[in-house]
Amino acid sequence: MDLNTVVEIRDARDPAPWRPGDAWLGGGTYLFSEPQPQLRRLVDLSRTGWTPVHRAPDGALEIAATCTVAQLSRFARTLPTTAAPLVEQCCRAFLASFKIWNMATVGGNLCNALPAGPMISLTAALDGECLLIAQDGVRRRVPVARFVTGAGRKDLAEGELLRSVTVPARALECRTAFRQASLYGLGRSGVLVIGTLDPVDRSFALTVTASTVRPVRLWFPLPPTAKALRTAIGRAVADDEWFDDIHGLPEWRRHMTFRYAEEIRREVTR
């Protein structure tokens, strides 16, 4: 879609004061998908030269905000860790064409903050942490599970940039289980639940996305009982936090979340 209110595209490598009507441009799959009448200038990140994804010296996975879904998928196929299959499962949860895969970015998926964003699901489940850079250069780190605060809402100040997401090495060695539900064969995720089991201390984490307006990550020092897990989910998700749109009613999303949570608990602890 043509954005007829945009009068300038600026290279992000050339610093300039942030001004009203500015927006970061990553892959552009969202920006160019619908009218953006509030925008006047796009700050293009495509020439920053950031390494899309790599393993840090400590074994952590560093994913640049500009890393595309296709780049992450290819990298994960060579990743010699227990949790590597989860990356591909979440990439496939996009159910998008190859054109989207090659343009949509990890950073864009997080910053859109849609409940069904599978890169949110992936990085929240693996205890990911966002690196945010303000216009004055101040840096801060926020867990992905707290970065997205609601449907379309995130902890991002005006002009602040999501630079990267870091997944700790320990999380990459977790045993994982993945469940996804949609009302349609090739539809948007209505429920996406991920469980992880730490091989070191056997702590268990369950991450609920798509069915809720924000990521909900529950951590247990040891695998919980079925009753304890169900109770924890009920306490963590308020009645008005079950997402409601054309892709699923809150009651259905809640029911499927509880069902998948128990399936996952049994799978990763058997």
Side-chain angles (χ1 to χ4, degrees), residues 117-190:
M119 296 297 95
I120 298 171
S121 309
L122 171 67
T123 52
L126 294 181
D127 202 19
E129 189 177 62
C130 299
L131 172 60
L132 309 175
I133 306 177
Q135 285 294 300
D136 60 4
V138 173
R139 299 186 173 213
R140 64 187 180 104
R141 293 185 178 273
V142 179
V144 172
R146 293 209 304 265
F147 176 70
V148 177
T149 59
R153 303 200 310 269
K154 60 274 185 183
D155 180 11
L156 196 65
E158 181 67 22
E160 198 168 26
L161 171 68
L162 170 59
R163 170 61 180 84
S164 61
V165 180
T166 301
V167 174
R170 185 163 171 172
L172 295 172
E173 298 303 333
C174 286
R175 183 178 180 183
T176 66
F178 172 96
R179 295 291 190 281
Q180 178 196 22
S182 172
L183 291 178
Y184 318 99
L186 293 175
R188 178 180 293 183
S189 297

Side-chain angles (χ1 to χ4, degrees), residues 14 17 39 60 75 97 107 130 146 151 155 169 191 207 213 224 257 270:
D14 300 327
L39 298 185
F75 184 87
S97 70
C130 299
R146 293 209 304 265
D155 180 11
V191 181
T207 303
V213 297
T257 296
R270 66 170 177 249

Side-chain angles (χ1 to χ4, degrees), residues 166-248:
T166 301
V167 174
R170 185 163 171 172
L172 295 172
E173 298 303 333
C174 286
R175 183 178 180 183
T176 66
F178 172 96
R179 295 291 190 281
Q180 178 196 22
S182 172
L183 291 178
Y184 318 99
L186 293 175
R188 178 180 293 183
S189 297
V191 181
L192 204 161
V193 185
I194 297 171
T196 61
L197 185 70
D198 191 308
V200 178
D201 60 9
R202 289 191 59 77
S203 61
F204 173 80
L206 186 87
T207 303
V208 179
T209 53
S211 58
T212 51
V213 297
R214 59 177 176 85
V216 175
R217 189 172 190 272
L218 303 173
W219 181 86
F220 304 85
L222 290 173
T225 63
K227 181 179 179 180
L229 180 58
R230 188 177 182 88
T231 299
I233 296 172
R235 289 175 176 171
V237 185
D239 289 342
D240 61 355
E241 289 186 313
W242 295 104
F243 195 45
D244 184 6
D245 72 352
I246 194 173
H247 299 285

